[in-house]
Amino acid sequence: MRKLFACGLFLFLVLTTATQPLPADNEAEDVNLGGQATVFEKNSQAFSLPFPNLSGLERLQFQAGDALFTESWVAAPASTQGRDGLGPLMITRACANCHLRDGRGAPPMDANEEPTGLLVRLSSAEAHAYGDQIQNRAIPGAEPEASVKIDWIASEYQLDDGTRVSLRRPQLRLEQLAYGPLPAEVQTSLRLAPPVHGLGLLEAVSAATLLEYQDSEDRNQDGISGRANEVFSPVTGKTEIGRFGWKANQPGLIEQDAGALNGDMGLTTKIFPAENCTAAQVVCQELPHGGEPEVEDKQLQLLVHYSRFLAVPGRRGADDPETRAGRALFFESGCASCHRPSLTTAPDAVHPLLANQVIWPYTDLLLHDMGRELADDRPDGKANGSEWRTSPLWGIGLTQEVNNRVFFLHDGRARTLEEAILWHGGEASRSRQHYSALPAPQRGQLLRFLQSL
């Protein structure tokens, strides 16, 4: 087995380490990033295709889930009883508005644009009239909680050869607070809607496997100390390993989907039966609802089925010499310590198509300290204010084709892969330094490899 080392870096959230060895550097296998669930479209629909081996009935269920994901919900009462109950407070009317073509959201271009695919998490030790995230839209009769404004603060990063790279970071402003002031010390965190392809495969990796990769005390002294988040599941009633969301604050797809329906669209389910209104938001409590719950169990299961069986696009140009050289640099820079190349799904996954799959998501799904560069200072479960989950890299090279715009990291601040790398701090600092020290042609090779994922 080729000896790989670590050091972490890259895209989104960083490195990981583990007391377990990294998987073999098998270039032949990582063309099929999603194992048997790999597809080879490279157009705007690359993230929206079902597993190629779904049965006919399962494909019909996938299409029904796609419709629920894509079409807009309406306020109650309405002539349609299958899609009413939106709001009263919400961020959007449909899942697909934030996850455009099943890809990522986009931050506002300037201070005049109200965001849709970027939300604001809140937390405070003091009581206030708002929930755990700002609802910046509302149905008629209710008032949005606030207007979300983003100012962009510019800076520069100088690489070792003197090249200057323009960076930016968001500065949040909450205006027109409709339910009173927020506490002065309220903690906020911007969260961009992430792409949703391949989630069923990530859910099928066992908790035991993820725990094997932990090295929270950095016992191997490589400077990287990944650890799993632990969060409460309203489905099992127990604490579970978190794996979805920027801080791994959701344990499974049903919690993730039901949570987004409730938090982002104001829709109740059996899992979250209460409207997303606080006691101080009286009008919100009194407006008509769309049933109890508003999203029936069958509808929620179809949404989960859709989320679970979105396929993964395969690599492009893997045989290109420049791409292969970039792949070697990825490992040499230590990026693979957190962006772990491959994982194996559990033999007892919820569906045979998800079981025993060797997949190449380039993530360990663990939390890593990203330093002050990306810190939001807002804890989330066991995650502290500077820890973020390592984001999967599969499909990242198709972001432009799918979304027609490119934004990376949890708040969408990075407009290129290079910017994303240069924001990596904390445990990923050495990988960033390695990248910064590379000659321009080699930096290009490494970026070319990332574009092939």
Side-chain angles (χ1 to χ4, degrees):
M1 174 184 293
R2 177 179 172 179
K3 184 178 181 180
L4 308 174
F5 351 134
C7 186
L9 133 9
F10 273 19
L11 274 345
F12 318 104
L13 326 164
V14 197
L15 347 175
T16 263
T17 294
T19 53
Q20 297 299 311
L22 291 171
D25 180 11
N26 191 328
E27 292 189 52
E29 289 188 14
D30 88 343
V31 172
N32 296 317
L33 297 175
Q36 294 180 16
T38 303
V39 294
F40 287 93
E41 292 292 336
K42 52 184 180 182
N43 56 27
S44 63
Q45 300 303 307
F47 296 168
S48 300
L49 301 175
F51 280 26
N53 42 9
L54 281 184
S55 70
L57 175 59
E58 290 166 336
R59 194 167 288 258
L60 290 174
Q61 293 169 332
F62 180 90
Q63 293 168 353
D66 187 4
L68 287 166
F69 189 87
T70 304
E71 296 176 7
S72 294
W73 288 70
V74 298
S79 57
T80 174
Q81 296 185 353
R83 289 182 178 281
D84 66 334
L86 178 73
L89 303 179
M90 76 278 189
I91 292 173
T92 188
R93 293 175 175 272
C95 307
N97 291 345
C98 294
H99 303 279
L100 181 63
R101 300 189 191 95
D102 302 292
R104 67 192 66 231
M109 300 299 290
D110 55 45
N112 296 318
E113 185 180 351
E114 191 74 23
T116 298
L118 181 73
L119 62 81
V120 182
R121 294 275 192 218
L122 297 175
S123 56
S124 173
E126 289 186 38
H128 59 80
Y130 304 83
D132 64 356
Q133 70 182 47
I134 289 292
Q135 314 295 324
N136 58 340
R137 292 179 176 81
I139 64 172
E143 193 169 2
E145 291 183 326
S147 177
V148 176
K149 301 298 183 186
I150 303 292
D151 299 311
W152 293 104
I153 310 301
S155 62
E156 276 191 345
Y157 188 99
Q158 183 170 331
L159 305 176
D160 288 13
D161 65 3
T163 301
R164 294 181 179 275
V165 180
S166 175
L167 302 178
R168 65 171 191 171
R169 62 178 173 81
Q171 182 171 280
L172 171 67
R173 285 184 289 122
L174 294 175
E175 298 183 346
Q176 302 174 41
L177 290 164
Y179 302 92
L182 282 164
E185 76 288 356
V186 67
Q187 297 168 316
T188 61
S189 180
L190 293 170
R191 306 286 175 89
L192 192 72
V196 293
H197 60 280
L199 298 185
L201 292 166
L202 296 179
E203 185 183 46
V205 178
S206 72
T209 296
L210 301 181
L211 292 174
E212 286 179 6
Y213 300 151
Q214 286 194 124
D215 188 19
S216 56
E217 301 302 322
D218 193 17
R219 292 189 297 276
N220 59 5
Q221 299 184 333
D222 66 350
I224 298 171
S225 54
R227 62 174 181 154
N229 204 350
E230 295 178 6
V231 295
F232 177 75
S233 166
V235 176
T236 66
K238 300 185 297 184
T239 298
E240 305 282 359
I241 297 298
R243 62 183 73 214
F244 298 124
W246 290 102
K247 295 212 177 198
N249 62 356
Q250 291 291 355
L253 282 176
I254 192 166
E255 293 95 338
Q256 173 70 37
D257 288 357
L261 289 169
N262 191 244
D264 302 346
M265 297 165 63
L267 295 166
T268 60
T269 60
K270 183 181 288 185
I271 297 171
F272 295 103
E275 293 285 356
N276 188 24
C277 307
T278 66
Q281 296 166 336
V282 178
V283 172
C284 177
Q285 302 271 13
E286 294 177 345
L287 286 169
H289 60 73
E292 296 180 289
E294 292 164 331
V295 180
E296 297 178 358
D297 285 355
K298 182 179 179 180
Q299 291 175 304
L300 179 59
Q301 291 300 331
L302 287 171
L303 265 177
V304 171
H305 179 84
Y306 178 71
S307 305
R308 182 167 283 152
F309 292 109
L310 279 166
V312 178
R315 286 186 64 199
R316 290 85 49 210
D319 293 333
D320 173 70
E322 294 289 296
T323 300
R324 296 183 67 179
R327 189 176 188 278
L329 288 167
F330 180 86
F331 284 94
E332 291 170 13
S333 299
C335 311
S337 295
C338 297
H339 290 287
R340 190 177 182 89
S342 68
L343 298 168
T344 301
T345 62
D348 59 348
V350 297
H351 190 286
L353 295 181
L354 298 166
N356 294 312
Q357 293 291 302
V358 177
I359 58 175
W360 297 78
Y362 286 84
T363 178
D364 60 5
L365 297 179
L366 298 178
L367 299 170
H368 294 274
D369 184 351
M370 296 299 293
R372 294 305 309 164
E373 291 87 340
L374 291 174
D376 65 354
D377 298 321
R378 179 180 180 272
D380 203 334
K382 284 181 62 178
N384 65 36
S386 62
E387 288 181 316
W388 298 92
R389 186 202 66 162
T390 307
S391 288
L393 299 183
W394 54 13
I396 196 166
L398 290 167
T399 302
Q400 177 68 46
E401 285 76 6
V402 171
N403 291 134
N404 202 31
R405 293 195 289 184
V406 174
F407 299 105
F408 300 120
L409 298 176
H410 66 278
D411 51 17
R413 68 177 67 188
R415 296 156 294 186
T416 65
L417 292 171
E418 181 171 66
E419 286 185 42
I421 293 168
L422 297 178
W423 276 110
H424 281 57
E427 297 176 34
S429 296
R430 284 185 297 169
S431 292
R432 180 184 62 192
Q433 292 164 6
H434 191 280
Y435 176 85
S436 178
L438 291 173
Q442 289 185 300
R443 296 199 302 269
Q445 289 171 341
L446 203 156
L447 296 174
R448 193 178 181 95
F449 163 67
L450 294 174
Q451 289 287 356
S452 78
L453 292 175

